[in-house]
């Protein structure tokens, strides 16, 4: 697999590997990602879906940074995550939320909005992973309460910038 170059905004390689391992264990059918960026996570997860021979990742980011070919089991939508999610049929088995919005202070409230939207469509054995939840630089207009709401519902890991995992 040829990967785009990493920078300080992309999901770290170790975290991509962890997400891919979760997908390998869970074997989800419908996967969604908010915040494709350069496509690192989509490439890792897509390769696992290829190995499994099932499942499909739908990933959205209105900013077009990602490579053109993310694989047979990944569809990239150059649009808002909520618009993409509304257009999908069925319940979500696996979600990765790592979106930002440059018009907002730094996206913490957007991650809560995405988390809440996926939670409403989550399958009984579904998993939601949210990136950057241990970071102390969030300001969402309410002192970072959006991230605190996510952390209250999840198992939280403090490595890198933090990963919060929700499972029913």
């Amino acid at each position: 697999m040829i990967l785009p170059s990493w920078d300080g905004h992309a999901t770290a390689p170790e975290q991509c590997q962890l997400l891919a391992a979760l997908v390998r264990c869970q074997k989800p059918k419908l996967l969604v990602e908010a915040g494709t960026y350069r496509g690192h996570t989509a490439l890792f997860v897509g390769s696992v879906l290829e190995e499994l021979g099932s499942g499909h990742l739908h990933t959205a980011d209105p900013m077009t940074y990602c490579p053109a070919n993310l694989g047979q089991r990944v569809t990239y939508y150059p649009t808002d995550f909520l618009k993409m999610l509304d257009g999908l049929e069925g319940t979500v088995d696996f979600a990765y939320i790592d979106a930002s919005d440059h018009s907002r202070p730094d996206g913490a409230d957007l991650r809560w909005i995405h988390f809440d939207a996926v939670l409403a469509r989550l399958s009984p054995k579904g998993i939601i992973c949210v990136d950057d939840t241990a970071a102390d630089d969030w300001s969402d207009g309410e002192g970072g309460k959006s991230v605190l709401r996510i952390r209250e519902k999840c198992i939280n890991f403090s490595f890198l910038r933090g990963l919060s995992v929700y499972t029913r």
Side-chain angles (χ1 to χ4, degrees):
M1 162 179 16
I2 298 173
L3 295 169
S5 62
W6 258 276
D7 62 17
H9 303 289
T11 301
E14 300 84 0
Q15 191 159 306
C16 289
Q17 292 169 348
L18 174 61
L19 294 167
L22 289 171
V23 168
R24 187 173 283 111
C25 292
Q26 187 198 22
K27 298 175 180 57
K29 299 296 180 210
L30 178 61
L31 301 84
V32 297
E33 177 186 28
T36 314
Y37 190 48
R38 292 189 175 166
H40 296 98
T41 304
L43 288 164
F44 271 82
V45 168
S47 71
V48 170
L49 296 175
E50 289 288 338
E51 287 172 26
L52 295 172
S54 67
H56 198 90
L57 172 64
H58 301 268
T59 181
D61 196 321
M63 305 301 287
T64 310
Y65 301 115
C66 74
N69 185 6
L70 293 172
Q72 294 290 328
R73 297 201 171 267
V74 179
T75 302
Y76 167 68
Y77 299 78
T79 189
D80 175 72
F81 175 74
L82 295 177
K83 287 180 186 173
M84 178 201 73
L85 189 63
D86 285 344
L88 298 177
E89 297 286 327
T91 57
V92 174
D93 299 311
F94 187 91
Y96 180 54
I97 299 171
D98 189 19
S100 297
D101 182 344
H102 299 293
S103 68
R104 297 169 184 256
D106 48 28
D109 58 338
L110 183 63
R111 291 185 196 209
W112 170 254
I113 291 166
H114 290 167
F115 179 90
D116 200 40
V118 171
L119 188 59
R121 302 230 356 228
L122 196 63
S123 68
K125 294 184 179 182
I127 295 173
I128 304 173
C129 299
V130 185
D131 195 19
D132 297 326
T133 56
D136 59 4
D137 57 356
W138 290 110
S139 63
D140 55 8
E142 36 177 19
K145 289 183 180 172
S146 298
V147 170
L148 294 177
R149 284 195 291 269
I150 292 169
R151 290 179 59 82
E152 287 172 356
K153 294 183 173 290
C154 296
I155 298 167
N156 301 290
F157 300 94
S158 60
F159 53 78
L160 303 171
R161 288 180 47 91
L163 181 70
S164 293
V165 179
Y166 174 88
T167 183
R168 291 205 188 262

